[in-house]
């Protein structure tokens, strides 16, 4: 009889999703802090936006803790192949979001460049995110078989970094969302720099948005603004590794597309930093729903 109960217990544990078996880690104890700007604190979502100056550039550092990142991170988008939209307009499509940032890079008639290994022409990619794979709310929009995927996916355990993975292998884990940009945008992996020294942005200062994972529940967002023309990717990597040593870091879209926004207690969207350029999609952080 005892063996029977043990067998039943084991079968029940196997039916529980993997992410539900992992106890949430507490908010990360950071040794580095900037000047607090605004914060949000609830049982399932905590974030604090801090301001700092680094190497002559004005930056924002956002520390995010989520009870269940796989369910609390989301994406809102412009219309596939039709347009790109202002960040605030896209944000209206995610009214539950507490914190929002710009995300995937994209191709338009102004920003015409696509990777050399993409099949097709520029017109095939206008007003869509870069990357060989695009999934939004579980719907597959693009899968370039044989073209390695460099980007982020949202899975039940939160965000995952992909560095040249086969799109079919990525899809096998059934991600609900993807975000992507240039193939050089994975910049830290396994606590080490993987920054491409030949990339034109490695030593070119610019405005940037970088997301980094500290552990399964804690993420960092580095938003670099206009001060002193911004930061180079090398400077960003040096700062993140020296001060935080994250598991991984990924460079999202930046430049004119940069945005860091939140909803106040009245539900009104507030911009901490927005450069006024339209976007293909955004990344959102929300309370844990029912």
């Amino acid at each position: 009889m005892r063996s029977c109960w043990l067998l039943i217990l084991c079968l029940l544990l196997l039916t529980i999703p993997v992410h539900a078996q992992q106890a949430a880690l507490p908010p990360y104890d950071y040794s580095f802090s900037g000047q607090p700007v605004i914060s949000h604190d609830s049982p399932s979502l905590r974030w604090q936006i801090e301001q700092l100056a680094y190497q002559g550039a004005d930056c924002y550092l956002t520390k995010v803790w989520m009870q269940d990142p796989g369910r609390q991170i989301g994406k809102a988008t412009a219309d596939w192949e039709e347009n790109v939209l202002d960040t605030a307009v896209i944000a209206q499509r995610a009214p539950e979001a507490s914190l929002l940032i710009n995300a995937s890079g994209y191709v338009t008639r102004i920003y015409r460049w696509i990777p050399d290994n993409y099949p097709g022409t520029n017109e095939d990619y206008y007003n869509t995110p870069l990357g060989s794979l695009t999934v939004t709310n579980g719907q597959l929009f693009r899968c370039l078989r044989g073209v390695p995927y460099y980007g982020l996916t949202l899975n039940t355990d939160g965000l995952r970094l992909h560095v040249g993975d086969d799109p079919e292998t990525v899809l096998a884990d059934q991600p609900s969302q993807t975000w992507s940009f240039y193939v050089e945008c994975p910049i830290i992996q396994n606590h080490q720099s993987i920054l491409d020294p030949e990339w034109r942005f490695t030593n070119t200062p610019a405005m940037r948005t970088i997301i980094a994972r500290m552990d399964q529940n804690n993420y960092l967002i580095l938003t670099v603004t206009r001060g002193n023309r911004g930061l180079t990717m090398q400077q960003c990597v040096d700062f993140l590794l020296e001060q935080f040593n994250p598991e991984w870091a990924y460079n999202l879209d930046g430049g004119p597309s940069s945005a860091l926004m939140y909803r106040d207690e009245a539900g009104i969207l507030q911009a901490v930093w927005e450069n006024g350029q339209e976007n293909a999609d955004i990344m959102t952080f929300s309370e844990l729903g029912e």
Side-chain angles (χ1 to χ4, degrees):
M1 179 63 71
R2 185 176 181 180
S3 298
C4 182
W5 280 112
L6 286 174
L7 178 59
I8 293 173
L9 178 60
C10 290
L11 290 173
L12 287 173
L13 288 173
L14 288 173
T15 63
I16 300 175
V18 172
H19 76 280
Q21 298 179 39
Q22 299 175 345
L25 296 176
Y28 202 87
D29 185 15
Y30 296 96
S31 59
F32 180 93
S33 295
Q35 180 66 36
V37 175
I38 188 73
S39 63
H40 172 86
D41 192 343
S42 76
S44 66
L45 175 66
R46 300 182 188 181
W47 53 258
Q48 176 163 292
I49 301 173
E50 302 170 357
Q51 192 169 19
L52 66 136
Y54 182 74
Q55 300 290 314
D58 298 324
C59 306
Y60 292 99
L61 182 71
T62 307
K63 300 169 179 174
V64 186
W65 172 88
M66 291 162 284
Q67 183 179 339
D68 190 345
R71 295 166 61 193
Q72 293 177 255
I73 298 174
K75 180 167 75 168
T77 73
D79 302 306
W80 181 261
E81 291 187 329
E82 292 184 13
N83 54 48
V84 288
L85 298 172
D86 184 81
T87 304
V89 175
I90 299 178
Q92 295 176 9
R93 301 181 176 188
E96 74 287 350
S98 172
L99 180 73
L100 314 95
I101 59 174
N102 59 283
S104 300
Y106 57 89
V107 178
T108 65
R109 284 170 173 77
I110 297 175
Y111 301 99
R112 302 174 64 90
W113 184 85
I114 62 171
D116 293 336
N117 63 344
Y118 278 27
T121 65
N122 294 75
E123 287 79 6
D124 297 328
Y125 299 94
Y126 281 151
N127 304 319
T128 67
L130 283 168
S132 59
L133 184 65
T134 303
V135 178
T136 299
N137 298 329
Q139 182 178 356
L140 180 63
F141 284 87
R142 174 186 293 146
C143 181
L144 301 180
R145 289 172 173 82
V147 181
Y149 179 64
Y150 294 80
L152 301 176
T153 59
L154 181 66
N155 298 74
T156 56
D157 57 350
L159 292 178
R160 296 183 188 176
L161 177 70
H162 296 273
V163 185
D165 293 338
D166 182 87
E168 299 286 357
T169 302
V170 177
L171 287 174
D173 286 334
Q174 299 182 324
S176 60
Q177 315 285 2
T178 59
W179 296 268
S180 55
F181 202 9
Y182 299 124
V183 298
E184 299 90 349
C185 284
I187 55 175
I188 295 174
Q189 185 180 35
N190 298 326
H191 305 281
Q192 295 182 340
S193 172
I194 56 171
L195 183 62
D196 183 353
E198 303 299 323
W199 188 23
R200 62 192 177 98
F201 288 119
T202 296
N203 295 301
T204 302
M207 296 172 284
R208 312 189 181 283
T209 299
I210 297 172
I211 186 165
R213 172 175 149 140
M214 299 300 296
D215 60 37
Q216 67 187 46
N217 297 92
N218 291 275
Y219 293 82
L220 281 175
I221 301 161
L222 176 63
T223 305
V224 181
T225 70
R226 284 197 189 95
N228 195 30
R229 298 191 303 141
L231 294 176
T232 69
M233 289 305 310
Q234 187 64 64
Q235 289 173 313
C236 293
V237 168
D238 291 344
F239 172 70
L240 290 170
L241 287 177
E242 289 169 3
Q243 298 296 338
F244 304 104
N245 192 31
E247 293 179 2
W248 55 254
Y250 185 81
N251 179 66
L252 295 165
D253 200 359
S257 299
S258 297
L260 173 61
M261 312 180 84
Y262 70 95
R263 282 197 171 85
D264 62 20
E265 293 182 356
I268 299 173
L269 195 65
Q270 304 288 351
V272 176
W273 168 252
E274 202 214 347
N275 207 27
Q277 181 69 42
E278 296 171 326
N279 280 298
D281 58 33
I282 59 176
M283 184 181 294
T284 67
F285 305 85
S286 306
E287 300 283 353
L288 187 61
E290 293 292 336

